[in-house]
Amino acid sequence: MERLAVNPWDWSVKLGYHQAEVIEGARCQVMCAGQTAVDGTGAPQHMGDMRGQIGLALDNLEAVLAGAGMGLGDIVRLGIFATDVDAALQHFDLLGRRFGAVDNRPPMTLLGVTRLAVPGLMFEIEATAMQ
């Protein structure tokens, strides 16, 4: 699979993502449901702690990808939903560390929402991955 970054401007690269990617030759695509800060039984964790919720949501995303034989480096698109965008952005270093470690800057969208499906959860991340 080949990935070609499309960045008419460089400001998004400085923030850790590409404006778009052209993907050719993919043989497998995985679409992950939104992952949140829940434990193995689905019980919400880290109530009131945005950083904790982002970290666990990323852990859960990695676990889902691993179950499909993929990892963060295979992600080609992210959708992020937060009940407090400013609080989420204060902790985006967590995404930078995880995606930087695998040298991946997938296109992403961050949306502010009034609430998520489970009360008390503040952060949700969905992904599309390809190999």
Side-chain angles (χ1 to χ4, degrees):
M1 178 179 81
E2 291 186 44
R3 295 168 69 163
L4 173 66
V6 178
N7 292 301
W9 319 276
D10 67 351
W11 62 263
S12 64
V13 176
K14 294 174 186 173
L15 294 174
Y17 69 96
H18 295 300
Q19 291 292 319
E21 287 186 343
V22 176
I23 299 168
E24 294 182 0
R27 60 177 170 75
C28 181
Q29 180 176 5
V30 175
M31 296 200 218
C32 300
Q35 299 300 308
T36 59
V38 296
D39 65 14
T41 68
Q45 304 294 305
H46 306 292
M47 303 309 275
D49 175 7
M50 180 65 82
R51 189 170 189 83
Q53 287 199 14
I54 292 172
L56 184 52
L58 287 168
D59 290 345
N60 290 342
L61 178 59
E62 285 192 84
V64 169
L65 289 167
M70 295 191 186
L72 294 179
D74 298 309
I75 291 176
V76 297
R77 175 93 173 100
L78 289 172
I80 300 172
F81 309 91
T83 59
D84 183 337
V85 171
D86 292 330
L89 288 171
Q90 289 174 2
H91 302 289
F92 255 47
D93 63 298
L94 294 172
L95 279 84
R97 289 179 192 174
R98 302 251 189 135
F99 284 91
V102 295
D103 194 28
N104 190 7
R105 294 171 188 82
M108 74 173 75
T109 299
L110 169 61
L111 292 175
V113 297
T114 56
R115 66 164 280 202
L116 297 173
V118 177
L121 291 179
M122 303 178 291
F123 184 87
E124 187 164 346
I125 185 167
E126 63 183 17
T128 301
M130 293 184 178
Q131 287 184 337

